[in-house]
């Protein structure tokens, strides 16, 4: 599927570069780029052959030739840009976490509906082919009822309080940075959004959540455990346990392989679908199909559920960012 819409990227960090590369893989190119530092945007445009560079972000929203905007600026700037882009009638794919909290997302969803545009979070889990392949088998009843999901995501970030991971002024912390992946995984496989949730937190010296644990349960009795850390390395592993088998996915944010272990005799089955290297290609294709109106591939309803969970957990802790005070 070739790129058929004119995309602009707001932000040209790591994700901006990956987006440009994915566009070229799909046989197209970014239409335009904007960044808070204009010189960085110019350099980015030269590297990828992008034809238009904006002097300021507002010029992107006012450009009638832009169809879709990809926002990859820091978390706490998202709502500001979402308001402007959606009000200008632009479709928006926004980096995770899509907003700081549920209330900001609620406002953005309302704006998208008012202006008849697509709003979505760039959550790779919802677009990797392996997840769709597994869902087909789950819905077919191959594994029996879902019982338990066990999630791990741990990275080791040095205590550099100037970087975004621990910087409260840049909406740092484990929940918004990596917890959004774990909870999106949980939501993808659970029959409904968890209604019961208990959690614990360990704070970094800056006051953001460095480490967190969660226990979740939904109306169907399906349960999940989540362990997160920004200062303790652990595997990116998701395990889904059913009556007849359990399924393991490693490097699950952009996973392309699952291993099924069958309960009855312990034999293993491997499923491979898609490629990790094409994660952003799948997002682009699903966004364009949704904008075209053929079907909704973006799962904004799951994004809303996940943001509600993230917001509830932080509210239980009493943890707020400056923008929420």
């Amino acid at each position: 599927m070739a790129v058929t819409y004119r995309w602009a990227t707001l932000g040209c960090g790591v994700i901006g570069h990956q987006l440009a590369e994915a566009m070229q893989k799909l046989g197209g190119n970014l239409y335009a780029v904007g960044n808070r530092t204009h010189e960085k945007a110019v350099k980015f445009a030269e590297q990828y052959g992008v034809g238009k560079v904006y002097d300021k972000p507002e010029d992107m929203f006012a450009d009638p030739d832009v169809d879709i905007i990809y926002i990859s600026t820091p978390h706490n700037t998202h709502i500001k840009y979402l308001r402007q882009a959606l009000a200008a009638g632009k479709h928006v794919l926004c980096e995770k976490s899509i907003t700081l909290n549920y209330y900001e997302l609620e406002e953005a969803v309302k704006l998208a509906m008012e202006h008849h545009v697509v709003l979505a979070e760039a959550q790779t889990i919802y677009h990797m082919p392996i997840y769709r392949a597994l869902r087909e088998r789950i819905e077919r009843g191959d594994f029996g009822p879902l019982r338990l999901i066990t999630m791990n995501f741990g990275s080791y970030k040095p205590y550099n309080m100037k970087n975004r991971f621990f910087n409260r002024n840049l909406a740092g912390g484990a929940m918004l940075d990596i917890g959004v992946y774990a909870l999106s995984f949980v939501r993808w496989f659970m029959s409904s959004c968890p209604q019961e949730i208990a959690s614990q937190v360990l704070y970094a010296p800056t006051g953001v959540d460095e480490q967190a644990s969660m226990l979740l349960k939904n109306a169907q009795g399906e349960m999940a455990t989540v362990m997160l850390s920004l200062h303790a390395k652990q595997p990116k592993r998701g395990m889904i346990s059913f009556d007849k088998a359990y399924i393991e996915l490693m490097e699950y944010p952009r996973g392309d392989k699952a291993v099924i272990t069958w309960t009855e005799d312990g034999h293993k089955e491997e499923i491979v679908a898609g490629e990790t290297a094409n994660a952003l290609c799948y997002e682009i294709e699903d966004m364009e199909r949704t904008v075209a109106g053929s079907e909704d591939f973006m799962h904004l309803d799951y994004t809303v559920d996940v943001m509600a969970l993230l917001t509830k957990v932080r509210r239980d802790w009493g943890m707020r960012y400056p923008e929420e005070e």
Side-chain angles (χ1 to χ4, degrees), residues 10 36 56-63 66 69 71 73 76-92 107-108 111-112 115 117 119:
L10 181 58
R36 288 172 298 170
K56 54 186 185 294
E58 291 71 21
D59 294 339
M60 177 184 293
F61 310 134
D63 187 342
V66 170
I69 296 174
I71 297 175
T73 56
N76 58 335
T77 65
H78 288 177
I79 188 60
K80 170 188 173 183
Y81 295 132
L82 285 170
R83 287 176 182 135
Q84 297 175 68
L86 296 168
K90 306 302 182 187
H91 304 288
V92 179
E107 178 189 349
L111 270 173
H115 294 276
V117 292
L119 168 66

Side-chain angles (χ1 to χ4, degrees), residues 10-277:
L10 181 58
C12 47
V14 173
I15 295 295
H17 285 270
Q18 292 179 0
L19 177 70
E21 291 163 2
M23 286 282 176
Q24 291 177 348
K25 274 187 182 180
L26 291 169
N29 206 359
L30 280 167
Y31 166 75
V33 59
N35 195 69
R36 288 172 298 170
T37 305
H38 183 69
E39 295 75 15
K40 192 174 178 181
V42 170
K43 186 177 179 181
F44 180 95
E46 290 172 352
Q47 181 175 349
Y48 294 104
V50 180
K52 181 173 279 192
V53 179
Y54 301 102
D55 290 328
K56 54 186 185 294
E58 291 71 21
D59 294 339
M60 177 184 293
F61 310 134
D63 187 342
D65 292 328
V66 170
D67 300 313
I68 304 172
I69 296 174
Y70 193 117
I71 297 175
S72 61
T73 56
H75 300 145
N76 58 335
T77 65
H78 288 177
I79 188 60
K80 170 188 173 183
Y81 295 132
L82 285 170
R83 287 176 182 135
Q84 297 175 68
L86 296 168
K90 306 302 182 187
H91 304 288
V92 179
L93 183 58
C94 186
E95 255 308 299
K96 67 206 85 67
S97 294
I98 190 169
T99 53
L100 283 187
N101 55 52
Y102 175 81
Y103 310 104
E104 288 184 354
L105 179 55
E106 189 176 40
E107 178 189 349
V109 170
K110 184 178 179 183
L111 270 173
M113 293 176 65
E114 287 175 357
H115 294 276
H116 308 289
V117 292
V118 175
L119 168 66
E121 182 178 61
Q123 178 51 261
T124 49
I125 285 170
Y126 301 153
H127 310 288
M128 296 301 295
I130 190 66
Y131 287 94
R132 289 175 181 164
L134 289 172
R135 173 169 280 185
E136 287 176 10
R137 295 194 59 177
I138 291 167
E139 291 176 349
R140 202 166 64 204
D142 288 9
F143 312 120
L146 171 64
R147 301 301 185 189
L148 177 66
I149 301 173
T150 308
M151 302 301 301
N152 297 85
F153 196 139
S155 56
Y156 189 88
K157 306 295 182 186
Y159 278 134
N160 174 2
M161 297 309 168
K162 294 181 180 179
N163 70 30
R164 67 179 180 84
F165 300 108
F166 297 109
N167 191 329
R168 188 168 171 267
N169 294 321
L170 293 177
M175 289 296 287
L176 291 189
D177 192 68
I178 57 179
V180 64
Y181 285 110
L183 290 176
S184 295
F185 184 105
V186 167
R187 185 62 193 92
W188 178 264
F189 289 106
M190 274 192 168
S191 303
S192 64
C193 186
Q195 298 300 313
E196 298 178 41
I197 182 166
S199 65
Q200 293 178 315
V201 63
L202 176 69
Y203 290 109
T206 53
V208 302
D209 52 313
E210 172 187 311
Q211 196 160 287
S213 63
M214 287 172 275
L215 298 172
L216 306 103
K217 181 182 176 184
N218 67 7
Q220 290 77 20
E222 299 163 352
M223 302 176 75
T225 66
V226 177
M227 292 296 299
L228 309 170
S229 181
L230 289 177
H231 205 61
K233 188 68 176 174
Q234 57 177 341
K236 298 181 183 71
R237 185 182 73 129
M239 183 169 67
I240 319 111
S241 300
F242 300 85
D243 262 16
K244 299 178 182 179
Y246 65 87
I247 304 169
E248 294 174 281
L249 287 90
M250 301 300 294
E251 301 298 324
Y252 63 82
R254 298 186 180 188
D256 56 16
K257 182 176 75 173
V259 177
I260 303 166
T261 302
W262 292 91
T263 304
E264 187 174 12
D265 59 8
H267 86 271
K268 296 184 183 295
E269 175 188 348
E270 186 174 285
I271 301 176
V272 178
E275 293 182 32
T276 295

